[in-house]
Amino acid sequence: MDGIVLLREDHKTVEKLFKEFERAGDDAHERKRQIADEVIRELTAHAWIEERVFYPAAREAAPDTTDHVLESVEEHHAVLWMLSELDGLDPKDERFDAKMAVLMENVRHHVEEEESDWFPDVRKAMGRKRLVELGERMAEERGNAPGSPLDVPSADS
């Protein structure tokens, strides 16, 4: 699978979790906690592979995307901190649903920018063979992703 397809699949997985959260209902605290935990795991691993593998390769292959990459890293920073706050928050806390709503809004914005604004430029610059190699590296690197969102490099920046 090529690297961009892999990232788009991650985006779809997270969007499905978001929709499930939105449908869960006000009193589905246990299910919302489970969904939030899945979102934390998915987005932590996703940010990790983007920052460790995809973004450096994108900047090298398509230097015009550098501003997009830098903005994406800053968006990761905000998302990773929200994830860390959700991680320890009781789903019955009145801020839990609100924090999740803000997270979903931020991630959806990030996904839209990546998929429409700069993935096409990266695809054009890299070509199929390079993207497949990149996808393999990203799949391998996923296994090295940290458990905590705050251990992703952009959380510190």
Side-chain angles (χ1 to χ4, degrees):
M1 173 182 312
D2 85 35
I4 291 175
V5 171
L6 186 147
L7 294 176
R8 285 179 184 262
E9 290 299 316
D10 282 0
H11 293 166
K12 288 177 188 172
T13 297
V14 170
E15 181 59 29
K16 285 179 189 172
L17 291 168
F18 287 169
K19 287 183 177 176
E20 187 175 343
F21 187 92
E22 290 169 331
R23 288 189 307 263
D26 292 338
D27 296 324
H29 302 297
E30 186 175 323
R31 183 62 191 135
K32 285 182 174 181
R33 174 78 268 160
Q34 292 169 343
I35 295 166
D37 289 344
E38 288 181 60
V39 167
I40 291 165
R41 280 190 301 277
E42 290 290 334
L43 288 176
T44 299
H46 181 80
W48 177 263
I49 65 173
E50 280 188 327
E51 291 179 28
R52 300 280 299 200
V53 182
F54 186 75
Y55 290 170
R59 285 181 77 171
E60 181 183 321
D64 290 349
T65 66
T66 295
D67 288 344
H68 290 293
V69 171
L70 294 173
E71 183 179 330
S72 291
V73 169
E74 292 305 315
E75 290 170 348
H76 281 191
H77 176 79
V79 165
L80 292 163
W81 276 93
M82 279 188 272
L83 292 173
S84 74
E85 292 169 358
L86 271 170
D87 194 27
L89 192 59
D90 185 326
K92 293 180 183 175
D93 187 300
E94 66 181 0
R95 298 170 304 144
F96 188 84
D97 286 359
K99 194 170 292 289
M100 192 69 172
V102 171
L103 173 74
M104 289 186 286
E105 183 178 305
N106 277 275
V107 170
R108 285 170 170 153
H109 167 79
H110 176 80
V111 166
E112 174 64 27
E113 282 187 339
E114 280 187 343
E115 291 190 359
S116 65
D117 291 350
W118 63 282
F119 277 5
D121 294 337
V122 173
R123 177 171 296 290
K124 186 176 179 181
M126 284 192 180
R128 177 94 174 120
K129 182 180 178 196
R130 175 78 177 106
L131 282 168
V132 169
E133 292 169 0
L134 195 63
E136 290 170 4
R137 284 189 42 227
M138 290 163 64
E140 289 173 19
E141 187 62 33
R142 186 182 301 275
N144 297 323
S148 168
L150 298 182
D151 290 335
V152 176
S154 65
D156 286 338
S157 46

